[in-house]
Amino acid sequence: MTKERELTIAERNLEGCLDTAASWLDTARSYLQASATKDTGPAGHRIASAAQAIGAVRDTIGSHLGPDRSPLTPYAYLLRHQAAFDYLSRRYSEVAWSAGEVVHRLAQGVEHPGAGEAFEAARASLAQASVYVRAASRDADMHLEAFPLALPVEPVQTTPADATSSITARLGDDSERLARAAYGALHDRGEQRMSGSDFRQLSSWTATTRILTGRLLLHVAASMPEGPVQSGFKEAAIALRQSSQAWKGAAEAWVDIVDLADPREHPPLHPPGLDLVRRGQVVQMPATDPHPAVVISRTAATRVGQLLFGPQWEPEQGPGAPRPAADVLADAQGPGSLAASLYRLPSAGWQMAAATPWAVKRAGAGLVADVPEHRPPGWDKNRRFYPVHPREVERLVGAYSTVMTAEQATAGALLDTARRAGVPVPRAILDASAHRAVAEEQRFAPTRQVQAQPKDLPRAHVPIDLVLGRRPGQRQ
């Protein structure tokens, strides 16, 4: 029997068994509702939970797809492969088996004989569905165990009341949101387009996050015994410092450029003349709300600072006295888990750096600058701003190309540190596959009425050393 034929039969068997199980659960619920006077009891309340568990994997997949089934994240492209379907089918089978065990326990606690029989029939159908799928999903890609739930690009603010033990998990969520925002910027799919002001502010906050993260690693390393893990923390801190400098350079590249669609960030302007004031012709720059990704990047910086300095810390306060390194490691569940959690930051930053040049390319017609050396010949000197020159666009693109290289090096250093501490990072394999999809999709990135285009845009690439778990330059 061919693999395709075997899969088709397994899928049909799975669908039939789940439909049968759902029908028996409905029957049990109707028995319990008919016999109950006030309350169906714990069994009745838990039927809905069992039904929701069966659809958990489906909901995770759906979060990566839009209403038109188009991808919202690069991870959605991983679902195109049969090995991914095999893995997801196997996950369905595990959920079905677990749901069957829940139903079996429910059957033991009900007094209505019809409901008990219905529960047992549902359990048998769920167990049968699990067996069918396991037999047909031998080629499952187990790296998809780290397949994430796609979170909306909506900031979740931090407060001093947050437990420091939850910071690393919430940093992971912030990174998930930023990665989705980066994909939206690459394909121009977000509800709110990221502007030049947004990219400058995001770059500045990300530079702050990286320098704080490097300081955090050095603080922890100072309390550790000498060895490969301590060396890994110090090497990662150096990489984070270089990444911070790259992000700072990207932010500074926007200083003389204004995005007319969102001129929140602009060079200092000369005060208006008295004549204009008297005639009432003075207008203020429009104020627009920042993109949610900017708020998320500031939140990420705050979380790292709170992990290092305490829950009361805010970016405006500046550095303070660090918390005991033992408390930091306890909140992060050890040095390996800390490195694995912090890896998510440069992973998302790498995606943002890959998407930014394309967003700049689309906004080219709406960008103006005030750099005297690039002012077009014959341009009226009384008109301070002029359409951005292609060289200035190339300078922006080059800045984010430097960021992407630095973020990849940082991600590799943190992965290496986690491995030295004996903590696997299955998410890294998933990220590498997703980033390859980004690199392939960039050639189809949409553009609209671009006036000044750089000749060559940097493309996202996945260093083979990172994919294979080696440090750059290390022999196999």
Side-chain angles (χ1 to χ4, degrees):
M1 183 181 298
T2 64
K3 175 66 174 177
E4 290 76 10
R5 176 64 175 168
E6 185 179 358
L7 284 170
T8 301
I9 294 176
E11 290 169 358
R12 291 177 180 175
N13 288 335
L14 172 63
E15 183 178 3
C17 291
L18 292 178
D19 287 343
T20 301
S23 177
W24 280 116
L25 286 174
D26 285 338
T27 300
R29 180 170 54 185
S30 64
Y31 279 135
L32 291 174
Q33 289 176 343
S35 61
T37 56
K38 295 183 179 180
D39 190 15
T40 58
H45 289 309
R46 294 179 65 181
I47 293 177
S49 299
Q52 291 174 357
I54 297 175
V57 177
R58 178 198 59 205
D59 295 339
T60 299
I61 298 171
S63 69
H64 292 262
L65 302 173
D68 56 353
R69 308 301 291 174
S70 58
L72 299 177
T73 74
Y75 303 99
Y77 291 101
L78 304 182
L79 303 175
R80 295 179 297 186
H81 307 292
Q82 186 59 55
F85 279 107
D86 286 355
Y87 173 79
L88 295 172
S89 297
R90 174 159 292 194
R91 293 293 295 174
Y92 263 122
S93 73
E94 293 173 358
V95 173
W97 181 268
S98 299
E101 293 300 304
V102 171
V103 171
H104 177 64
R105 290 180 178 272
L106 292 177
Q108 297 175 344
V110 297
E111 297 179 357
H112 193 289
E117 292 177 0
F119 277 135
E120 285 297 338
R123 182 199 63 78
S125 296
L126 290 168
Q128 191 174 13
S130 178
V131 172
Y132 279 140
V133 176
R134 279 184 172 275
S137 57
R138 305 184 188 93
D139 298 331
D141 182 1
M142 300 311 294
H143 291 128
L144 286 173
E145 65 179 344
F147 196 82
L149 177 70
L151 301 176
V153 187
E154 298 175 359
V156 177
Q157 300 284 6
T158 180
T159 68
D162 294 339
T164 53
S165 58
S166 67
I167 289 179
T168 53
R170 294 187 178 185
L171 276 173
D173 291 344
D174 290 338
S175 300
E176 210 71 66
R177 294 182 174 94
L178 288 173
R180 179 167 175 175
Y183 187 82
L186 176 64
H187 289 272
D188 201 17
R189 285 185 54 91
E191 295 182 4
Q192 178 181 348
R193 173 179 283 185
M194 293 187 68
S195 66
S197 295
D198 291 322
F199 282 116
R200 181 183 177 186
Q201 293 180 6
L202 184 145
S203 299
S204 180
W205 282 119
T206 306
T208 300
T209 303
R210 299 300 182 266
I211 200 68
L212 285 172
T213 306
R215 182 167 179 173
L216 173 71
L217 294 184
L218 289 177
H219 175 60
V220 171
S223 67
M224 298 172 61
E226 293 185 2
V229 178
Q230 185 198 47
S231 300
F233 270 70
K234 292 181 178 180
E235 293 168 7
I238 294 173
L240 282 159
R241 187 183 303 115
Q242 294 172 345
S243 182
S244 176
Q245 293 172 350
W247 279 109
K248 183 179 179 181
E252 292 173 347
W254 287 98
V255 168
D256 298 313
I257 297 178
V258 178
D259 187 345
L260 295 179
D262 178 17
R264 276 178 293 126
E265 291 283 344
H266 54 78
L269 301 175
H270 299 303
L274 185 58
D275 185 54
L276 291 177
V277 174
R278 287 175 176 173
R279 287 185 293 174
Q281 295 181 353
V282 177
V283 295
Q284 294 182 345
M285 285 288 198
T288 57
D289 293 331
H291 191 279
V294 176
V295 184
I296 295 170
S297 63
R298 182 193 184 280
T299 302
T302 305
R303 293 196 205 282
V304 175
Q306 289 178 338
L307 186 61
L308 177 59
F309 302 118
Q312 304 296 327
W313 187 83
E314 289 288 339
E316 292 75 17
Q317 297 176 5
R323 301 168 60 213
D327 293 348
V328 174
L329 289 175
D331 287 335
Q333 300 181 354
S337 295
L338 176 62
S341 299
L342 296 178
Y343 149 79
R344 301 284 301 283
L345 293 173
S347 175
W350 161 0
Q351 296 186 51
M352 185 64 72
T356 303
W358 294 93
V360 173
K361 182 178 178 181
R362 293 189 196 99
L367 298 179
V368 297
D370 70 340
V371 182
E373 57 266 27
H374 290 155
R375 185 173 292 136
W379 188 262
D380 186 356
K381 294 183 178 180
N382 294 324
R383 300 172 60 187
R384 176 175 176 180
F385 292 96
Y386 58 87
V388 69
H389 193 279
R391 292 177 186 171
E392 294 170 282
V393 176
E394 291 177 1
R395 177 168 55 88
L396 275 174
V397 169
Y400 284 98
S401 178
T402 301
V403 167
M404 187 165 61
T405 301
E407 290 283 77
Q408 289 173 340
T410 301
L414 288 168
L415 279 178
D416 185 63
T417 302
R419 293 188 180 108
R420 292 182 189 183
V423 175
V425 190
R427 176 62 185 266
I429 302 297
L430 188 70
D431 286 340
S433 299
H435 296 164
R436 273 198 298 271
V438 170
E440 294 173 0
E441 290 300 317
Q442 275 187 337
R443 69 189 66 179
F444 305 113
T447 58
R448 294 189 298 194
Q449 298 180 357
V450 178
Q451 177 176 344
Q453 299 184 16
K455 296 180 180 179
D456 297 307
L457 288 172
R459 299 190 181 275
H461 61 282
V462 182
I464 189 63
D465 292 318
L466 180 61
V467 177
L468 297 178
R470 302 195 304 256
R471 295 301 304 280
Q474 178 181 346
R475 294 186 177 181
Q476 192 172 9

